[in-house]
Amino acid sequence: MLELAILGLLQESPMHGYELRKELAAKLGAIRAAISYGSLYPTLRRLQAAGWITEAAETPATAEEVPALTTRRGRVVYKITAEGKERFAQLIGQAGPETYDDTGFGVHFAFFARTDQATRLRILEGRRRKIEERREGLRDVLGRAAERLDAYTLELQRHGLDACEREVRWLEELIANERSGRAPMVPQAGTVGGRRDNDSPPPPGESRKERP
């Protein structure tokens, strides 16, 4: 998934590692993009060795862009190659079980604008099945073992069930839009995805906090 995300971002413009890390956080969310330099740079080296990215230039690094416990050095700027674009197209077209998990779905969904409609629909339907299975598992726990759970564990299970139910509704709306050829609604002021903020679904795999 990190490979897919890096190749997708470098199609937008060349970037150095610090910029990539920031863009990953902005595009995918802080939870999914809690990527350390220890995982980012080995992936960049692997992509470069495969011929999917190449070094474009080197610019001076500022103090805040130098990872802790490392020396201050120039920033290597990476750009995607023609082979890298082919690799991205191959990865973005995949719709296997790995694309239904929280991380896989989040990364693929971030690049849905570059994904064909049939693949988007397969991923959305697979994700819905995944969350429905998770929801039924939580319902089963609450139905069979609720009396054996302490109040906090019980509340946590209910919280997870609520998040699953809201995500299923969100996915069903997206699936209906895909089947009818409609794109998601453009957000307006005070809304998220065309809804009021308080009614908006949580990001995949996350839960909405209560708002006043």
Side-chain angles (χ1 to χ4, degrees):
M1 293 300 107
L2 181 55
E3 176 183 316
L4 170 63
I6 290 172
L7 293 175
L9 288 174
L10 290 180
Q11 287 212 65
E12 298 174 1
S13 67
M15 300 182 195
H16 56 74
Y18 181 77
E19 288 174 323
L20 276 168
R21 196 163 181 256
K22 287 177 62 177
E23 288 300 314
L24 286 167
K27 197 170 187 71
L28 306 178
I31 293 178
R32 293 189 191 89
I35 298 167
S36 69
Y37 288 105
S39 60
L40 176 61
Y41 284 104
T43 304
L44 288 170
R45 288 194 293 270
R46 181 170 56 81
L47 295 178
Q48 190 173 6
W52 297 330
I53 65 173
T54 186
E55 295 181 10
E58 187 171 295
T59 59
T62 60
E64 66 272 15
E65 294 173 346
V66 179
L69 304 179
T70 64
T71 59
R72 182 166 178 166
R73 58 184 177 84
R75 301 173 300 181
V76 175
V77 177
Y78 300 94
K79 64 179 181 180
I80 194 168
T81 63
E83 293 80 6
K85 292 178 180 179
E86 292 177 0
R87 175 61 174 168
F88 175 79
Q90 177 188 6
L91 292 172
I92 204 68
Q94 294 177 354
E98 71 280 358
T99 64
Y100 310 150
D101 292 332
D102 292 349
T103 300
F105 178 73
V107 173
H108 274 265
F109 193 83
F111 295 103
F112 258 22
R114 304 185 199 174
T115 307
D116 66 88
Q117 183 185 29
T119 302
R120 289 197 303 263
L121 192 55
R122 288 198 301 273
I123 292 174
L124 289 170
E125 290 174 338
R127 174 66 177 182
R128 180 178 62 181
R129 290 192 299 271
K130 182 82 172 181
I131 300 304
E132 286 175 338
E133 292 172 1
R134 188 181 299 175
R135 179 186 64 185
E136 294 311 308
L138 289 168
R139 284 177 175 173
D140 186 55
V141 169
L142 288 170
R144 292 186 299 103
E147 68 280 358
R148 299 197 300 272
L149 302 176
D150 63 75
Y152 293 100
T153 302
L154 183 61
E155 186 62 23
L156 182 63
Q157 296 296 316
R158 288 173 175 165
H159 178 68
L161 178 59
D162 178 64
C164 287
E165 289 175 340
R166 285 186 283 110
E167 185 170 348
V168 167
R169 291 194 298 270
W170 175 67
L171 289 165
E172 287 176 343
E173 181 178 334
L174 289 171
I175 289 169
N177 286 341
E178 289 292 336
R179 287 174 175 166
S180 63
R182 296 193 307 269
M185 295 179 64
V186 177
Q188 300 175 354
T191 68
V192 176
R195 306 177 184 83
R196 296 296 304 174
D197 286 344
N198 286 344
D199 297 327
S200 61
E206 299 180 20
S207 301
R208 183 188 63 194
K209 295 182 179 178
E210 293 298 325
R211 299 167 185 153

